[in-house]
Tab-separated table of all heavy atoms in Angstrom:
chain	number	residue	atom	x	y	z
G	1	TYR	N	12.080	-1.470	24.302
G	1	TYR	CA	12.236	-0.710	23.055
G	1	TYR	C	11.295	-1.185	21.935
G	1	TYR	O	11.232	-0.585	20.866
G	1	TYR	CB	13.672	-0.735	22.555
G	1	TYR	CG	14.238	-2.073	22.163
G	1	TYR	CD1	13.744	-2.791	21.042
G	1	TYR	CD2	15.298	-2.647	22.860
G	1	TYR	CE1	14.276	-4.028	20.698
G	1	TYR	CE2	15.835	-3.877	22.493
G	1	TYR	CZ	15.318	-4.559	21.405
G	1	TYR	OH	15.829	-5.762	21.036
G	2	GLU	N	10.577	-2.284	22.141
G	2	GLU	CA	9.674	-2.834	21.095
G	2	GLU	C	8.727	-1.775	20.527
G	2	GLU	O	8.563	-1.692	19.291
G	2	GLU	CB	8.901	-4.052	21.600
G	2	GLU	CG	9.723	-5.323	21.633
G	2	GLU	CD	8.879	-6.515	22.025
G	2	GLU	OE1	7.649	-6.470	21.835
G	2	GLU	OE2	9.452	-7.502	22.508
G	3	PRO	N	8.085	-0.943	21.364
G	3	PRO	CA	7.166	0.059	20.790
G	3	PRO	C	7.872	1.094	19.939
G	3	PRO	O	7.192	1.842	19.197
G	3	PRO	CB	6.538	0.706	22.036
G	3	PRO	CG	6.759	-0.264	23.139
G	3	PRO	CD	8.028	-0.933	22.826
G	4	LEU	N	9.202	1.188	20.016
G	4	LEU	CA	9.952	2.217	19.298
G	4	LEU	C	10.494	1.704	17.960
G	4	LEU	O	11.036	2.493	17.164
G	4	LEU	CB	11.122	2.679	20.148
G	4	LEU	CG	10.791	3.203	21.558
G	4	LEU	CD1	12.050	3.566	22.303
G	4	LEU	CD2	9.851	4.418	21.455
G	5	LEU	N	10.341	0.408	17.662
G	5	LEU	CA	10.905	-0.148	16.443
G	5	LEU	C	10.358	0.539	15.211
G	5	LEU	O	11.095	0.791	14.251
G	5	LEU	CB	10.645	-1.659	16.378
G	5	LEU	CG	11.410	-2.498	17.372
G	5	LEU	CD1	10.883	-3.968	17.349
G	5	LEU	CD2	12.898	-2.508	17.078
G	6	GLY	N	9.090	0.877	15.227
G	6	GLY	CA	8.497	1.538	14.069
G	6	GLY	C	8.969	2.950	13.841
G	6	GLY	O	8.707	3.540	12.783
G	7	GLU	N	9.692	3.518	14.828
G	7	GLU	CA	10.205	4.865	14.705
G	7	GLU	C	11.578	4.933	14.123
G	7	GLU	O	12.115	6.025	13.877
G	7	GLU	CB	10.174	5.561	16.087
G	7	GLU	CG	8.781	5.667	16.698
G	7	GLU	CD	8.800	6.296	18.078
G	7	GLU	OE1	9.845	6.888	18.439
G	7	GLU	OE2	7.778	6.219	18.763
G	8	ILE	N	12.210	3.772	13.888
G	8	ILE	CA	13.538	3.789	13.292
G	8	ILE	C	13.471	4.366	11.909
G	8	ILE	O	12.708	3.895	11.054
G	8	ILE	CB	14.120	2.352	13.266
G	8	ILE	CG1	14.299	1.816	14.699
G	8	ILE	CG2	15.440	2.324	12.516
G	8	ILE	CD1	14.759	0.360	14.749
G	9	SER	N	14.280	5.371	11.661
G	9	SER	CA	14.236	6.058	10.346
G	9	SER	C	15.469	5.791	9.489
G	9	SER	O	15.462	6.072	8.309
G	9	SER	CB	14.048	7.556	10.539
G	9	SER	OG	15.110	8.086	11.306
G	10	ILE	N	16.555	5.264	10.111
G	10	ILE	CA	17.762	5.007	9.324
G	10	ILE	C	17.530	3.799	8.410
G	10	ILE	O	16.610	2.984	8.652
G	10	ILE	CB	18.970	4.744	10.244
G	10	ILE	CG1	18.725	3.537	11.155
G	10	ILE	CG2	19.315	5.990	11.073
G	10	ILE	CD1	19.955	3.101	11.922
G	11	PRO	N	18.327	3.608	7.402
G	11	PRO	CA	18.218	2.419	6.554
G	11	PRO	C	18.473	1.162	7.367
G	11	PRO	O	19.423	1.093	8.165
G	11	PRO	CB	19.304	2.634	5.490
G	11	PRO	CG	19.529	4.097	5.464
G	11	PRO	CD	19.328	4.578	6.861
G	12	VAL	N	17.632	0.142	7.172
G	12	VAL	CA	17.755	-1.129	7.888
G	12	VAL	C	17.668	-2.278	6.899
G	12	VAL	O	16.806	-2.293	6.021
G	12	VAL	CB	16.637	-1.296	8.953
G	12	VAL	CG1	16.751	-2.651	9.650
G	12	VAL	CG2	16.696	-0.168	9.987
G	13	ARG	N	18.572	-3.230	7.060
G	13	ARG	CA	18.573	-4.444	6.225
G	13	ARG	C	18.501	-5.647	7.141
G	13	ARG	O	19.198	-5.752	8.137
G	13	ARG	CB	19.854	-4.453	5.403
G	13	ARG	CG	20.128	-5.743	4.605
G	13	ARG	CD	21.349	-5.539	3.712
G	13	ARG	NE	22.476	-4.964	4.419
G	13	ARG	CZ	23.531	-4.366	3.833
G	13	ARG	NH1	23.564	-4.276	2.514
G	13	ARG	NH2	24.540	-3.896	4.541
G	14	LEU	N	17.626	-6.593	6.798
G	14	LEU	CA	17.469	-7.838	7.523
G	14	LEU	C	17.922	-8.993	6.633
G	14	LEU	O	17.535	-9.050	5.468
G	14	LEU	CB	16.026	-8.058	7.956
G	14	LEU	CG	15.323	-6.891	8.662
G	14	LEU	CD1	13.863	-7.263	8.927
G	14	LEU	CD2	16.040	-6.522	9.954
G	15	ILE	N	18.746	-9.897	7.179
G	15	ILE	CA	19.218	-11.065	6.442
G	15	ILE	C	18.991	-12.286	7.329
G	15	ILE	O	19.282	-12.236	8.522
G	15	ILE	CB	20.733	-10.948	6.105
G	15	ILE	CG1	21.045	-9.553	5.503
G	15	ILE	CG2	21.174	-12.038	5.168
G	15	ILE	CD1	22.556	-9.291	5.404
G	16	TRP	N	18.439	-13.360	6.771
G	16	TRP	CA	18.081	-14.508	7.619
G	16	TRP	C	18.354	-15.819	6.896
G	16	TRP	O	18.004	-15.984	5.719
G	16	TRP	CB	16.611	-14.429	7.985
G	16	TRP	CG	16.347	-14.660	9.449
G	16	TRP	CD1	16.090	-15.852	10.058
G	16	TRP	CD2	16.348	-13.677	10.456
G	16	TRP	NE1	15.888	-15.669	11.405
G	16	TRP	CE2	16.063	-14.338	11.698
G	16	TRP	CE3	16.531	-12.279	10.483
G	16	TRP	CZ2	15.950	-13.649	12.900
G	16	TRP	CZ3	16.451	-11.608	11.685
G	16	TRP	CH2	16.159	-12.286	12.882
G	17	GLY	N	18.929	-16.762	7.656
G	17	GLY	CA	19.098	-18.116	7.146
G	17	GLY	C	17.769	-18.877	7.182
G	17	GLY	O	17.128	-18.930	8.220
G	18	ARG	N	17.389	-19.468	6.067
G	18	ARG	CA	16.115	-20.193	5.993
G	18	ARG	C	16.086	-21.382	6.965
G	18	ARG	O	15.027	-21.798	7.411
G	18	ARG	CB	15.910	-20.725	4.559
G	18	ARG	CG	15.596	-19.675	3.527
G	18	ARG	CD	14.137	-19.409	3.452
G	18	ARG	NE	13.804	-18.631	2.241
G	18	ARG	CZ	12.628	-18.053	2.027
G	18	ARG	NH1	11.681	-18.164	2.955
G	18	ARG	NH2	12.404	-17.374	0.931
G	19	GLU	N	17.279	-21.929	7.262
G	19	GLU	CA	17.329	-23.135	8.108
G	19	GLU	C	17.732	-22.814	9.565
G	19	GLU	O	18.221	-23.700	10.283
G	19	GLU	CB	18.338	-24.150	7.517
G	19	GLU	CG	18.114	-24.456	6.042
G	19	GLU	CD	16.748	-25.024	5.764
G	19	GLU	OE1	16.211	-25.737	6.630
G	19	GLU	OE2	16.198	-24.751	4.664
G	20	ASP	N	17.557	-21.585	9.977
G	20	ASP	CA	17.924	-21.182	11.330
G	20	ASP	C	17.021	-21.936	12.336
G	20	ASP	O	15.795	-21.779	12.321
G	20	ASP	CB	17.744	-19.676	11.487
G	20	ASP	CG	18.308	-19.144	12.792
G	20	ASP	OD1	18.451	-19.912	13.767
G	20	ASP	OD2	18.647	-17.931	12.845
G	21	ARG	N	17.641	-22.733	13.202
G	21	ARG	CA	16.918	-23.471	14.222
G	21	ARG	C	16.920	-22.729	15.566
G	21	ARG	O	16.138	-23.058	16.438
G	21	ARG	CB	17.510	-24.856	14.421
G	21	ARG	CG	17.358	-25.780	13.218
G	21	ARG	CD	17.875	-27.179	13.498
G	21	ARG	NE	19.307	-27.212	13.653
G	21	ARG	CZ	20.168	-27.524	12.683
G	21	ARG	NH1	19.713	-27.793	11.474
G	21	ARG	NH2	21.489	-27.558	12.909
G	22	ILE	N	17.799	-21.749	15.727
G	22	ILE	CA	17.853	-20.982	16.970
G	22	ILE	C	16.783	-19.903	16.945
G	22	ILE	O	16.022	-19.735	17.870
G	22	ILE	CB	19.259	-20.329	17.128
G	22	ILE	CG1	20.371	-21.391	17.040
G	22	ILE	CG2	19.322	-19.563	18.462
G	22	ILE	CD1	20.385	-22.391	18.140
G	23	LEU	N	16.750	-19.134	15.858
G	23	LEU	CA	15.735	-18.097	15.659
G	23	LEU	C	15.103	-18.337	14.257
G	23	LEU	O	15.556	-17.783	13.269
G	23	LEU	CB	16.352	-16.672	15.724
G	23	LEU	CG	16.868	-16.249	17.109
G	23	LEU	CD1	17.736	-15.010	16.950
G	23	LEU	CD2	15.703	-15.991	18.051
G	24	PRO	N	14.136	-19.183	14.192
G	24	PRO	CA	13.528	-19.567	12.912
G	24	PRO	C	12.974	-18.373	12.141
G	24	PRO	O	12.831	-17.246	12.687
G	24	PRO	CB	12.432	-20.547	13.308
G	24	PRO	CG	12.845	-21.102	14.641
G	24	PRO	CD	13.542	-19.955	15.341
G	25	PRO	N	12.651	-18.568	10.862
G	25	PRO	CA	12.257	-17.456	9.989
G	25	PRO	C	11.117	-16.568	10.505
G	25	PRO	O	11.058	-15.392	10.124
G	25	PRO	CB	11.858	-18.165	8.677
G	25	PRO	CG	12.754	-19.360	8.647
G	25	PRO	CD	12.841	-19.809	10.061
G	26	GLN	N	10.228	-17.096	11.348
G	26	GLN	CA	9.161	-16.250	11.836
G	26	GLN	C	9.668	-15.041	12.629
G	26	GLN	O	8.995	-13.998	12.733
G	26	GLN	CB	8.120	-17.022	12.666
G	26	GLN	CG	8.662	-17.687	13.921
G	26	GLN	CD	8.972	-19.160	13.704
G	26	GLN	OE1	9.373	-19.572	12.598
G	26	GLN	NE2	8.755	-19.958	14.726
G	27	TYR	N	10.888	-15.166	13.197
G	27	TYR	CA	11.454	-14.033	13.935
G	27	TYR	C	11.862	-12.941	12.965
G	27	TYR	O	11.795	-11.744	13.313
G	27	TYR	CB	12.636	-14.485	14.795
G	27	TYR	CG	12.193	-15.303	15.989
G	27	TYR	CD1	12.040	-16.680	15.915
G	27	TYR	CD2	11.846	-14.687	17.175
G	27	TYR	CE1	11.604	-17.430	16.999
G	27	TYR	CE2	11.402	-15.389	18.276
G	27	TYR	CZ	11.290	-16.786	18.177
G	27	TYR	OH	10.817	-17.507	19.241
G	28	ALA	N	12.336	-13.288	11.792
G	28	ALA	CA	12.622	-12.272	10.770
G	28	ALA	C	11.342	-11.574	10.324
G	28	ALA	O	11.300	-10.351	10.155
G	28	ALA	CB	13.286	-12.928	9.564
G	29	GLU	N	10.280	-12.362	10.167
G	29	GLU	CA	9.010	-11.787	9.716
G	29	GLU	C	8.433	-10.859	10.806
G	29	GLU	O	7.868	-9.792	10.506
G	29	GLU	CB	8.027	-12.905	9.382
G	29	GLU	CG	8.485	-13.703	8.168
G	29	GLU	CD	7.844	-15.076	8.038
G	29	GLU	OE1	7.095	-15.460	8.992
G	29	GLU	OE2	8.094	-15.772	7.039
G	30	TRP	N	8.553	-11.255	12.067
G	30	TRP	CA	8.108	-10.418	13.189
G	30	TRP	C	8.806	-9.058	13.145
G	30	TRP	O	8.168	-8.008	13.286
G	30	TRP	CB	8.419	-11.134	14.521
G	30	TRP	CG	7.937	-10.423	15.758
G	30	TRP	CD1	6.779	-10.631	16.433
G	30	TRP	CD2	8.631	-9.399	16.478
G	30	TRP	NE1	6.688	-9.797	17.519
G	30	TRP	CE2	7.837	-9.038	17.567
G	30	TRP	CE3	9.869	-8.763	16.299
G	30	TRP	CZ2	8.206	-8.041	18.481
G	30	TRP	CZ3	10.239	-7.757	17.220
G	30	TRP	CH2	9.427	-7.405	18.282
G	31	LEU	N	10.110	-9.088	12.942
G	31	LEU	CA	10.894	-7.842	12.923
G	31	LEU	C	10.556	-7.002	11.701
G	31	LEU	O	10.405	-5.790	11.777
G	31	LEU	CB	12.371	-8.181	12.959
G	31	LEU	CG	13.363	-7.023	13.061
G	31	LEU	CD1	13.044	-6.132	14.265
G	31	LEU	CD2	14.794	-7.546	13.137
G	32	HIS	N	10.400	-7.677	10.558
G	32	HIS	CA	10.085	-6.950	9.326
G	32	HIS	C	8.735	-6.237	9.414
G	32	HIS	O	8.557	-5.122	8.876
G	32	HIS	CB	10.086	-7.908	8.155
G	32	HIS	CG	10.106	-7.247	6.817
G	32	HIS	ND1	9.452	-7.755	5.721
G	32	HIS	CD2	10.698	-6.105	6.383
G	32	HIS	CE1	9.639	-6.948	4.684
G	32	HIS	NE2	10.378	-5.950	5.045
G	33	GLU	N	7.794	-6.836	10.105
G	33	GLU	CA	6.477	-6.203	10.278
G	33	GLU	C	6.587	-4.925	11.105
G	33	GLU	O	5.785	-3.991	10.913
G	33	GLU	CB	5.529	-7.184	10.994
G	33	GLU	CG	5.065	-8.344	10.119
G	33	GLU	CD	4.272	-9.362	10.937
G	33	GLU	OE1	4.085	-9.143	12.152
G	33	GLU	OE2	3.864	-10.375	10.348
G	34	ARG	N	7.574	-4.846	11.977
G	34	ARG	CA	7.697	-3.697	12.869
G	34	ARG	C	8.656	-2.640	12.347
G	34	ARG	O	8.654	-1.518	12.837
G	34	ARG	CB	8.123	-4.207	14.262
G	34	ARG	CG	6.950	-4.847	14.997
G	34	ARG	CD	7.369	-5.851	16.045
G	34	ARG	NE	6.146	-6.433	16.662
G	34	ARG	CZ	5.422	-7.407	16.111
G	34	ARG	NH1	5.775	-7.924	14.929
G	34	ARG	NH2	4.339	-7.865	16.715
G	35	ILE	N	9.504	-2.993	11.386
G	35	ILE	CA	10.344	-2.004	10.700
G	35	ILE	C	10.015	-2.141	9.218
G	35	ILE	O	10.780	-2.720	8.451
G	35	ILE	CB	11.851	-2.247	10.973
G	35	ILE	CG1	12.114	-2.420	12.462
G	35	ILE	CG2	12.662	-1.037	10.456
G	35	ILE	CD1	13.575	-2.707	12.801
G	36	PRO	N	8.880	-1.664	8.782
G	36	PRO	CA	8.375	-1.982	7.441
G	36	PRO	C	9.252	-1.477	6.305
G	36	PRO	O	9.204	-2.044	5.200
G	36	PRO	CB	6.993	-1.331	7.396
G	36	PRO	CG	6.871	-0.499	8.605
G	36	PRO	CD	7.912	-0.890	9.573
């Protein structure tokens, strides 16, 4: 589904813990780039 992320049209909110050691902040940035 990765190629389809940019096609999401519904409202989307991303929330991320700055100190996340499981999925560090770069994963939030990766997702934000694909759902602008």
Side-chain angles (χ1 to χ4, degrees):
Y1 64 66
E2 281 185 24
L4 305 176
L5 290 171
E7 299 178 13
I8 296 175
S9 59
I10 60 171
V12 178
R13 172 173 48 198
L14 310 177
I15 312 169
W16 227 268
R18 289 273 193 192
E19 308 301 327
D20 190 336
R21 294 185 291 264
I22 306 294
L23 292 167
Q26 61 261 33
Y27 288 90
E29 293 161 355
W30 182 96
L31 185 56
H32 194 216
E33 288 172 1
R34 285 155 180 80
I35 312 178

